[in-house]
Amino acid sequence: MSESLSTDESLSGPVAVPVSGPLSGPEPKARSLAGRAAALDAEDELAGLRDLFTLDDDTVYLDGNSLGALPRHVAGRLQDVISRQWGELRIRSWTEGGWWTAPERIGDRIAPLVGAGQGRIVVGDSTSVNVFKAVVAAVRLAESADPARDEILVDATTFPTDGYIARSAARMTGRRIVPVDPAELSGALGPRTAVALVNHVDFRTGRLHDLPGITAAAHAAGALVVWDLCHSAGALPVGLDEHGVDLAVGCTYKYLNGGPGSPAFLYVAERHQAAFDSPLPGWNAHTDPFAMAQDFAAADGAVRGRVGTPDILSMLALEAALDVWEGVRVEAVRAKSLALTDFFLECVAAYAPAGRVSSMTPAAHAERGSQVALRCAEAPAVMAELISRGVIGDLRRPDVLRFGFTPLYVGFADAERAARVLGEVLAEVPRQPAGEQRDRGV
């Protein structure tokens, strides 16, 4: 039994995936893993969904955690929106075409995918704008209960925008930012904590953070939590209502395949809706928008999370894209995601030259999202060569190779091919001198 995938204990504990059976040389190894991939694809209940997407057989697309693939029918649906709804009905489409109610209607379609009831999600604006709304509104909710709560805890490993927005929200509300490692967040909560802003899945490593546990710890401390679901919505069960989440935001262009720049969503727990005080009270959030009143009166429910006129073309492209989820169980998506990432790690262990890559992604299923991040000193050159050979992942400088596994259209043969090509590329790309690796902290 061989173990060629090196370990990285500093971030996620050791990950070394054994390769099954005695293998001698690359050809028997490839035949064995390719055969297993074919068998796994044949048994996959989600395999047929790949045909719903615009993909080509020459490419392995493992970047759905940045931009999901195009569902085939979206182009035709959007052509109708442009030619008939906009071109013929024109302004009548706000009512006859259902444009005006799209943010709530599409929110209700996303709701089952993240474990939310109807009327709790509204779609519109970017993730950054929704993070701002959620954090400021959460601070205001906390302040109404206890004005002494003057701290906003922020995931210290967060996606940069969340940190930027949180710091601005802190300045605006007179709070101070406290960066905390997510593993230590539960212990950092206290009587001064107003809000914690946490990523459900770490964008670099793919680590899945403990949403139920952190949410419960925050509530026990009298604080609220805002969850960023950008790397979990559409990839795994979230359970927003079940776990008592206060507020959450998420993008729709990754695992939900809504298209580049498609609008994000905002979740407001039912118990907070009456007191939700958005820092961006736009006319679309007014209880009677067309009254054009000078005084703002917030609409009921999550609708008060709306701001301005919806981006209809992107909004309706997203609505069409969500059709691929009809009849799909998120639990089945999660099961396949874990099987895919397990198999990919096993294939990397078999194909990669010893010591060239190490997994930053946790081995434990309970701590893993739907991506694999490999640390590699030569990551920029390796990813460039992978892409030139039809394996599309992405790079997080300086040394992270990131591969997203979207179970609706990625199969086990894709995982095997990607790992095999990675092994070939690593064998060809020269190692960096050890001194340069130390200089970069590798």
Side-chain angles (χ1 to χ4, degrees):
M1 184 173 292
S2 65
E3 294 183 354
S4 61
L5 181 62
S6 63
T7 63
D8 185 344
E9 300 188 19
S10 64
L11 288 173
S12 60
V15 178
V17 184
V19 182
S20 302
L23 300 172
S24 57
E27 291 185 5
K29 184 184 300 183
R31 285 197 298 270
S32 173
L33 290 171
R36 284 182 52 204
L40 289 166
D41 281 332
E43 298 170 358
D44 175 20
E45 67 176 276
L46 302 178
L49 295 172
R50 180 185 176 92
D51 293 337
L52 300 179
F53 293 86
T54 302
L55 295 163
D56 57 86
D57 293 335
D58 295 332
T59 301
V60 177
Y61 190 65
L62 301 181
D63 211 0
N65 53 332
S66 285
L67 177 65
L70 171 68
R72 291 183 184 276
H73 68 284
V74 170
R77 194 80 58 82
L78 201 53
Q79 184 60 51
D80 177 71
V81 173
I82 294 169
S83 299
R84 183 181 64 85
Q85 297 182 36
W86 180 14
E88 297 175 15
L89 294 177
R90 291 177 287 276
I91 201 165
R92 292 161 54 197
S93 286
W94 284 106
T95 51
E96 295 178 31
W99 289 2
W100 186 259
T101 57
E104 305 95 86
R105 181 177 71 247
I106 300 170
D108 283 344
R109 293 192 65 184
I110 292 172
L113 303 179
V114 292
Q118 302 292 279
R120 293 163 173 77
I121 291 180
V122 65
V123 174
D125 307 309
S126 67
T127 303
S128 301
V129 172
N130 282 312
V131 168
F132 179 72
K133 294 179 207 171
V135 172
V136 174
V139 168
R140 290 174 175 175
L141 286 167
E143 182 180 37
S144 66
D146 183 358
R149 293 185 175 272
D150 62 350
E151 295 181 346
I152 300 175
L153 271 56
V154 178
D155 171 358
T157 61
T158 190
F159 187 78
T161 284
D162 286 22
Y164 306 155
I165 294 291
R167 286 192 287 274
S168 179
R171 293 194 301 272
M172 179 178 175
T173 60
R175 266 61 188 172
R176 72 186 190 96
I177 292 291
V178 180
V180 181
D181 186 291
E184 301 171 0
L185 199 146
S186 293
L189 295 158
R192 297 182 62 179
T193 307
V195 181
L197 172 61
V198 193
N199 286 259
H200 195 194
V201 174
D202 186 281
F203 78 101
R204 286 190 186 87
T205 67
R207 177 179 289 277
L208 174 65
H209 296 137
D210 181 8
L211 182 146
I214 291 173
T215 301
H219 292 169
L224 288 82
V225 185
V226 175
W227 284 96
D228 183 330
L229 309 179
C230 284
H231 285 86
S232 59
L236 53 91
V238 178
L240 293 177
D241 287 351
E242 176 187 357
H243 300 304
V245 168
D246 301 295
L247 298 157
V249 302
C251 69
T252 61
Y253 48 80
K254 299 181 189 295
Y255 296 105
L256 296 180
N257 310 298
S262 58
F265 64 86
L266 170 68
Y267 165 87
V268 183
E270 188 174 35
R271 67 186 181 280
H272 291 313
Q273 290 180 0
F276 180 81
D277 183 7
S278 173
L280 298 172
W283 76 291
N284 269 228
H286 197 284
T287 188
D288 187 2
F290 292 96
M292 303 299 173
Q294 294 302 307
D295 294 327
F296 181 74
D300 292 332
V303 177
R304 63 178 56 192
R306 292 177 62 159
V307 183
T309 305
D311 183 342
I312 290 299
L313 298 183
S314 290
M315 185 84 66
L316 298 188
L318 165 62
E319 183 173 34
L322 291 171
D323 288 351
V324 301
W325 287 93
E326 292 298 322
V328 176
R329 297 181 303 110
V330 178
E331 292 76 15
V333 170
R334 176 60 169 165
K336 181 178 175 182
S337 165
L338 292 172
L340 275 170
T341 49
D342 277 345
F343 184 65
F344 178 69
L345 284 167
E346 179 179 348
C347 290
V348 172
Y351 290 133
R356 294 298 298 276
V357 294
S358 59
S359 177
M360 301 170 68
T361 300
H365 286 181
E367 298 175 1
R368 186 192 306 169
S370 197
Q371 72 179 51
V372 171
L374 301 177
R375 174 162 281 160
C376 175
E378 301 80 21
V382 169
M383 183 53 69
E385 187 59 29
L386 283 172
I387 292 171
S388 75
R389 301 185 190 192
V391 175
I392 314 299
D394 67 11
L395 171 72
R396 286 295 177 263
R397 296 196 305 265
D399 58 1
V400 178
L401 302 169
R402 203 175 67 150
F403 303 93
F405 289 82
T406 306
L408 298 189
Y409 54 78
V410 173
F412 293 89
D414 294 322
E416 187 275 334
R417 176 182 163 191
R420 177 164 34 87
V421 174
L422 173 62
E424 294 167 359
V425 170
L426 288 169
E428 297 172 14
V429 172
R431 285 179 179 266
Q432 276 198 356
E436 291 184 28
Q437 293 186 26
R438 284 195 299 272
D439 292 342
R440 298 172 61 197
V442 177

